[in-house]
Amino acid sequence: MFTGIVEEIGQVTAVEASGDGVRVTVRAPKAVSDAAHGDSISVSGVCLTVVDQGGDWFTADVMRQTLDMSTLQGVSAGRPVNLERATVAHGRLGGHIVQGHIDGTGELLEVRPGAEWRVLRVGLPAALAPLVVDKGSIAVDGVSLTVSAASPAVPPDGVHWFEVSLIPETLEATTLGARQPGDRVNLETDILARHVQRLLAFTPAASAAPDLPAAAAAPTEGGSA
């Protein structure tokens, strides 16, 4: 479990084929300072497990499903990545609850600079759009952010999007400061929204509910049905 507060920007130093997946090595001095075999580290939003480590690096296996769903597909040496160690139970929840289980990727559609901040507009798959709400939380490349705007349920051009506003600290401390239109980013929607969506999928349609007797259906005076 993570909070989406990036601790350092690391760098992929090696990528090796491993079955139908890959084994990646990441330079991460802070992340491995107290890491042990089997620990979880978020790599640009993807929860990976430490299988080997050194003084300033760790190695993790990435399975095919993760490659297919994330920007780790095609990863190569030299790529900068956001890193966060798993949160501790007595620590502060500075961002929001992030699992490191991304829902998919989005495309950076627009970057609008401001006086002291930068607004990013990110396109996302239609299936994820209902899970993103204005002023809600979302993790972009593992960074906990607040949604500052979102497309309507039925966008005029058919493109679903959301916007986030990045303060100077976020621009400096994460890889998002270097992102440009056309770049793909990892997305993890809020876990509460995902649970609600799943519960609703099992809720019978109102039309399928049995008809109530007239007396029971009509509200009583001074009360409600």
Side-chain angles (χ1 to χ4, degrees):
M1 195 72 70
F2 308 93
T3 67
I5 304 300
V6 172
E7 297 183 285
E8 67 176 328
I9 297 178
Q11 186 178 68
V12 175
T13 60
V15 180
E16 302 175 24
S18 178
D20 64 350
V22 297
R23 174 165 287 195
V24 298
T25 299
V26 181
R27 183 179 182 277
K30 187 170 185 177
V32 300
S33 62
D34 61 352
H37 183 87
D39 280 357
S40 297
I41 297 177
S42 172
V43 179
S44 287
V46 180
C47 178
L48 297 180
T49 300
V50 175
V51 297
D52 195 9
Q53 67 186 100
D56 66 349
W57 58 270
F58 73 92
T59 296
D61 290 319
V62 187
M63 70 176 99
R64 171 51 52 188
Q65 181 185 26
T66 302
L67 292 175
D68 291 341
M69 291 191 63
S70 75
T71 60
L72 291 180
Q73 176 72 270
V75 67
S76 59
R79 180 189 293 187
V81 288
N82 295 321
L83 299 175
E84 180 191 357
R85 291 169 291 183
T87 189
V88 291
H90 63 276
R92 297 183 183 277
L93 186 61
H96 71 283
I97 296 175
V98 178
Q99 294 182 295
H101 304 158
I102 67 167
D103 298 302
T105 63
E107 180 182 351
L108 186 55
L109 302 176
E110 181 183 355
V111 177
R112 300 198 306 274
E116 295 184 1
W117 61 88
R118 194 174 301 168
V119 176
L120 273 56
R121 175 172 288 196
V122 182
L124 76 165
L128 299 184
L131 304 177
V132 179
V133 60
D134 188 22
K135 303 303 182 290
S137 296
I138 192 167
V140 179
D141 275 351
V143 184
S144 174
L145 298 170
T146 299
V147 177
S148 55
S151 59
V154 183
D157 57 1
V159 178
H160 293 275
W161 53 265
F162 67 90
E163 292 183 349
V164 289
S165 300
L166 309 184
I167 61 174
E169 173 64 18
T170 304
L171 294 172
E172 179 69 23
T174 76
T175 61
L176 296 181
R179 290 299 194 178
Q180 298 295 323
D183 288 350
R184 299 203 67 78
V185 292
N186 292 322
L187 302 177
E188 182 184 331
T189 56
D190 185 66
I191 184 174
L192 178 59
R194 298 202 302 272
H195 275 295
V196 171
Q197 183 186 59
R198 179 64 172 169
L199 287 169
L200 289 175
F202 287 92
T203 301
S207 59
D211 293 332
L212 293 174
T220 57
E221 183 178 355
S224 59

